[in-house]
Amino acid sequence: MKPVLETHDLTVIYSRKPVLYGVDLTVHAGSIVGLLGPNGAGKSTFIKACMGLIPLESGWVELFGQRGRKAIRRAGYVPQRESVDWDFPVNALDVVLMGRYGKLGLFRRPGKADREMAMDCLRMVNMEAYADRQIAALSGGQQQRIFLARALAQETDLYFLDEPFVGVDAATEAAIITILRKMRDQGKTLIVVHHDLTTAAQYFDQLVLLNMRVIASGPTQEVFTEENLHRAYGGRLTLLTQAASERIQQRSS
Amino acid sequence: MEVFWDQTLRFFSFGDPIVRVAVAGCLLLGLACGLMGSFIMVRRLSLFGDTLSHAVLPGVAMGFIWNLSKDPVAILIGAVLAGYLGVMLVRWLTATTRLKEDAAMGMVLAGFYGLGVCLLTFVQRQAVGDMAGLDKMLFGQASALTGTDIQVLAVVSGVALALVAVFYKEFLVISFNETFARVSGIPVRWFNGLFFLLLSFAIVASLQAVGVVLVSAMLITPAATAYMLTDRMHRLIGLACVFGMLAGLIGCYLSFLGAGLPTGPFIVLVSSLGFIAAWFFSPRYGWVLEKLRRISRRRRMALENTLASIYRFREGEGHAETVALSLLGLSRHRNESLEEVESRLKRLQAEGFAKLVPSPRTAALEHCQVVLTAKGARRARTLIRNHRLWELYLNRAADYADDHVHDDAELMEHYLSEGLVDRLDQRLDYPRVDPHGRTIPSKEEARQ
Ligand SMILES: Nc1ncnc2c1ncn2[C@@H]1O[C@H](COP(=O)(O)OP(=O)(O)O)[C@@H](O)[C@H]1O
Ligand SMILES: [Mg+2]
């Protein structure tokens, strides 16, 4: 079977500074992949590169064994929450409905079926009661769920989620991870940027440690070692190391 | 005065062809500006709109110089080209230097405007060709509009309206979340180009009536007014178009009254007054209604607190509802002045929650007996029930100390809905005693 995502020699340079350098990665279908790395490691950049949002210096990205815009449309995207203006005059349902736009194509308007489908997606994230709320009147966790519902409405097999747990309360975090697992069980692949090492081992089937290059990637048990984390986080690993090594000890005992 | 009515009649009968043309022009520009301005505002491109509206000026002059006549099509083309050049210059400056966008825009705006004014002055000095109205480009003069201008305006507004209607979902998602639009396969660059073109069209079409200096206000103000009133983009656009057209019509009329006055400032002034009205009186985000709501909320809380006090006083003295409570007693109990308590009770009486019964012994008001009506007693028990359940909930579920729960509950008792209180009751397993050992009225008791 073709891998869902394959990158080869992926290199991105921002104003003469390499942000990603020679990233080779292969992800197969049906898993939740955690993308971990310190701040500024290039995690968001990696996602944007995969989605064709920024030019590559070299290398290529294949989604479902294909390259180019057609392939990218088969992937869903949940951007970082702060990347949009929440005062924008739309309600929750409007935002979820935007997930249908890609499938609709240029001239068709969203119809009744799309609206119902969007409502279903809201229901899946337990937000149906907020369908006609203006989006600034939602809490951070609710906004994140709206984004997730919009991704669900895209009905794709591969999703990139950029820090979906930031600024979200514990209950929402648990709810989101439950939804992600449900999606995985339906055969979808989720690539999730995350930076809380204490929960990483618990949430993800596979891990990719990234810091400009891929430090390690593979099944969580193999990747989530103190040595790898040290290599990814460098000297910056202090409190985080502690938390992580506690985790590792817990798991091995 | 006579003149005023004459002019008004002449204006609103629309018999005069000059008036007809001017009014049509102002309505169309209000429509075009409201439409494009809505997107400009939600995309936070206001400064961009301002820059573009100034950058087109040299193009207007060049369009005139092209064949020495006020040919709307030549002017349109010249203006769009100049606007494009200005926008490209801003991009180029921000990409290749350390200058940030606002600085680059500020410079380009002023530079192009200066160049435009020079060119226009030069053209007028030459005094060749038909330049009627060319000198009105700075502040706008609707009566200088010609039939051809109106045709161009109508086409421009019509095309803009049709394209936004057809591609509404694309424009919406690009405005809200451009990267998401791109990954959804929407040709964002193409649409942004189209957007730029439509915006330039709207700006150029409005120049003659509003003037370069104030076009950006016509883009932003009607949209901002609409934004005070609605939370949905399609309604915002509709309202912005209506406000733009209204401002166009009224502004045109006002400038017509004092013959020869520039139209632009009047249109913008009317539009700004509209904004101020919306800002003050918008039901949702209006300043005045928010204040009024706050006042009425505070008053209701004060009344409810008085009701609860009466209940508590009786409870403390035994429980019988027959315990006598005078106005003076209540004022001591609540630690408030007699006048305050009196005015509260008058209101409670007016709303049918309480009665003041004169004492048989003395006529003095302060010795009147305070008696709750059945309705008042129900409300008081409900408040007490809310208060005590909330205290208990904080105490048990949220681990608040006993002596900290009162203040929070004092506020919450006014806001808890019946459904929420029922759920609290159930969650706490229908308790009868609060953290301070006092009785919590049950739902049935509260209703009695
Ligand atoms: N548009 C940009 N222009 C220049 N540098 C950028 C840009 N976006 C990100 N960077 C730089 O690229 C690096 C990686 O950023 P990013 O991918 O956002 O990191 P992460 O998401 O892992 O925190 C950072 O050092 C950041 O400063
Ligand atoms: Mg990031």
Side-chain angles (χ1 to χ4, degrees):
Chain A
M1 213 171 86
K2 285 256 180 208
V4 176
L5 168 71
E6 190 172 3
T7 71
H8 177 72
D9 189 31
L10 189 75
T11 301
V12 173
I13 295 181
Y14 275 135
S15 45
R16 276 184 258 139
K17 195 183 96 197
V19 176
L20 293 174
Y21 187 75
V23 172
D24 295 340
L25 195 68
T26 308
V27 174
H28 289 278
S31 53
I32 306 182
V33 182
L35 190 55
L36 263 63
N39 271 332
K43 303 178 297 287
S44 299
T45 307
F46 176 74
I47 287 188
K48 287 182 185 148
C50 290
M51 306 249 28
L53 291 168
I54 41 174
L56 307 181
E57 198 64 27
S58 73
W60 47 256
V61 181
E62 275 186 5
L63 305 180
F64 307 97
Q66 291 176 310
R67 295 184 202 178
R69 270 174 55 176
K70 263 248 171 68
I72 286 165
R73 278 162 92 162
R74 297 181 60 188
Y77 179 43
V78 180
Q80 277 180 281
R81 198 156 49 83
E82 61 271 18
S83 65
V84 304
D85 171 14
W86 291 94
D87 284 324
F88 198 89
V90 283
N91 63 26
L93 186 64
D94 291 334
V95 174
V96 179
L97 214 46
M98 288 179 193
R100 304 299 302 157
Y101 289 4
K103 284 238 156 48
L104 281 170
L106 271 189
F107 291 93
R108 259 188 310 153
R109 285 153 178 264
K112 199 160 169 246
D114 296 299
R115 207 155 285 132
E116 266 158 26
M117 146 100 203
M119 263 327 266
D120 286 340
C121 294
L122 274 175
R123 222 162 276 139
M124 263 183 267
V125 298
N126 264 327
M127 287 290 293
E128 71 271 26
Y130 299 91
D132 48 18
R133 272 271 182 103
Q134 200 274 328
I135 51 176
L138 300 170
S139 72
Q142 291 171 331
Q143 291 174 341
Q144 195 65 58
R145 282 197 245 185
I146 295 297
F147 263 6
L148 199 59
R150 179 175 71 172
L152 286 169
Q154 287 183 283
E155 285 189 306
T156 54
D157 294 321
L158 168 64
Y159 287 103
F160 292 94
L161 296 89
D162 203 344
E163 310 228 13
F165 301 119
V166 165
V168 153
D169 58 279
T172 306
E173 183 159 334
I176 292 177
I177 200 75
T178 310
I179 296 162
L180 296 186
R181 290 197 172 126
K182 229 184 262 171
M183 291 163 78
R184 175 205 48 204
D185 296 341
Q186 292 164 3
K188 297 179 191 292
T189 309
L190 302 125
I191 295 173
V192 183
V193 174
H194 190 57
H195 64 210
D196 183 1
L197 289 179
T198 56
T199 50
Q202 205 181 316
Y203 286 172
F204 304 115
D205 312 324
Q206 311 251 335
L207 283 184
V208 176
L209 291 182
L210 189 80
N211 194 348
M212 192 157 86
R213 319 199 47 162
V214 175
I215 305 296
S217 76
T220 303
Q221 293 89 335
E222 290 166 28
V223 175
F224 204 70
T225 63
E226 206 167 335
E227 195 203 334
N228 278 337
L229 291 175
H230 251 299
R231 285 205 294 150
Y233 285 82
R236 271 176 281 184
L237 199 69
T238 47
L239 262 180
L240 288 174
T241 343
Q242 246 176 342
S245 48
E246 272 167 29
R247 263 264 142 223
I248 292 163
Q249 277 160 11
Q250 268 175 25
R251 230 184 30 216
S252 50
S253 65
Chain B
M1 213 54 213
E2 194 97 336
V3 182
F4 170 80
W5 287 115
D6 268 7
Q7 291 285 77
T8 304
L9 197 66
R10 228 183 101 204
F11 184 85
F12 283 105
S13 60
F14 303 123
D16 189 335
I18 292 185
V19 171
R20 266 211 300 268
V21 168
V23 167
C26 290
L27 287 176
L28 284 169
L29 90 87
L31 181 75
C33 286
L35 181 67
M36 299 317 292
S38 301
F39 287 103
I40 286 274
M41 188 197 61
V42 297
R43 292 183 76 166
R44 303 182 172 184
L45 290 175
S46 306
L47 190 55
F48 176 83
D50 201 21
T51 308
L52 189 57
S53 65
H54 284 76
V56 296
L57 194 60
V60 172
M62 294 306 282
F64 177 81
I65 293 171
W66 177 252
N67 57 5
L68 291 179
S69 80
K70 215 188 101 197
D71 171 7
V73 177
I75 288 181
L76 193 68
I77 293 171
V80 170
L81 285 178
Y84 185 70
L85 203 68
V87 171
M88 279 335 226
L89 194 56
V90 169
R91 282 224 189 134
W92 190 51
L93 278 172
T94 40
T96 57
T97 69
R98 289 189 305 173
L99 286 173
K100 301 290 176 283
E101 201 167 46
D102 57 331
M105 281 188 179
M107 284 198 309
V108 168
L109 181 156
F112 274 60
Y113 180 67
L115 179 64
V117 172
C118 287
L119 282 175
L120 281 181
T121 320
F122 172 75
V123 171
Q124 276 159 16
R125 286 274 163 75
Q126 299 305 303
V128 284
D130 165 29
M131 355 174 253
L134 204 59
D135 57 325
K136 302 290 181 354
M137 287 292 185
L138 297 189
F139 293 108
Q141 178 53 269
S143 56
L145 285 167
T146 64
T148 338
D149 285 331
I150 298 299
Q151 281 165 12
V152 173
L153 249 171
V155 170
V156 164
S157 313
V159 167
L161 205 58
L163 283 172
V164 170
V166 172
F167 296 117
Y168 176 68
K169 76 174 196 301
E170 281 77 13
F171 281 118
L172 181 71
V173 67
I174 290 171
S175 307
F176 176 58
N177 194 342
E178 193 171 304
T179 43
F180 186 82
R182 272 166 73 185
V183 301
S184 302
I186 290 169
V188 171
R189 277 165 152 258
W190 197 85
F191 275 106
N192 277 342
L194 181 65
F195 181 77
F196 165 80
L197 211 62
L198 292 179
L199 180 62
S200 323
F201 281 178
I203 286 171
V204 178
S206 315
L207 282 188
Q208 186 73 80
V210 199
V212 179
V213 185
L214 295 173
V215 171
S216 68
M218 266 323 277
L219 288 169
I220 306 307
T221 313
T225 311
Y227 193 38
M228 291 281 134
L229 299 174
T230 177
D231 277 337
R232 300 291 296 282
M233 188 63 186
H234 59 277
R235 291 201 200 115
L236 190 146
I237 295 172
L239 284 175
C241 289
V242 170
F243 292 150
M245 287 160 75
L246 273 177
L249 180 69
I250 301 172
C252 186
Y253 161 67
L254 290 178
S255 82
F256 179 80
L257 280 183
L261 287 179
T263 336
F266 281 102
I267 296 185
V268 170
L269 199 64
V270 171
S271 169
S272 303
L273 288 176
F275 173 79
I276 291 171
W279 175 33
F280 273 51
F281 300 111
S282 152
R284 216 169 312 180
Y285 301 109
W287 186 82
V288 170
L289 285 178
E290 184 52 42
K291 273 261 141 52
L292 285 180
R293 265 197 294 269
R294 198 172 302 164
I295 290 171
S296 96
R297 213 158 39 217
R298 210 175 293 151
R299 177 175 295 165
R300 187 174 65 94
M301 274 169 72
L303 287 185
E304 291 186 345
N305 285 339
T306 311
L307 270 180
S309 289
I310 298 170
Y311 182 93
R312 283 207 186 89
F313 180 87
R314 292 242 162 77
E315 188 185 45
E317 299 286 309
H319 86 89
E321 312 232 328
T322 49
V323 173
L325 172 61
S326 67
L327 212 51
L328 190 62
L330 183 63
S331 109
R332 292 214 184 105
H333 181 67
R334 276 191 64 75
N335 216 351
E336 284 174 335
S337 74
L338 202 54
E339 291 80 44
E340 262 177 302
V341 176
E342 192 188 317
S343 84
R344 295 262 166 70
L345 269 179
K346 289 242 163 86
R347 284 202 61 89
L348 283 174
Q349 195 164 16
E351 292 181 25
F353 284 114
K355 275 199 300 248
L356 277 177
V357 180
S359 156
R361 273 165 295 153
T362 150
L365 190 64
E366 61 197 74
H367 293 296
C368 276
Q369 297 296 309
V370 177
V371 180
L372 290 182
T373 63
K375 182 177 156 196
R378 258 202 307 277
R379 186 90 199 96
R381 280 192 296 262
T382 306
L383 285 164
I384 294 288
R385 171 177 150 82
N386 290 356
H387 182 108
R388 291 183 181 164
L389 277 174
W390 187 249
E391 278 192 344
L392 194 64
Y393 175 71
L394 285 184
N395 192 232
R396 278 210 205 148
D399 249 351
Y400 266 49
D402 302 0
D403 50 348
H404 281 158
V405 292
H406 177 79
D407 293 339
D408 200 67
E410 192 56 33
L411 197 69
M412 283 304 285
E413 64 184 25
H414 307 283
Y415 292 111
L416 290 170
S417 70
E418 198 179 327
L420 188 61
V421 172
D422 289 347
R423 284 228 298 283
L424 271 180
D425 206 11
Q426 187 191 4
R427 176 79 66 85
L428 295 168
D429 201 17
Y430 307 103
R432 300 311 309 269
V433 187
D434 81 350
H436 312 291
R438 284 173 307 220
T439 310
I440 302 176
S442 73
K443 185 171 182 165
E444 289 67 38
E445 283 167 343
R447 279 228 184 110
Q448 266 166 30

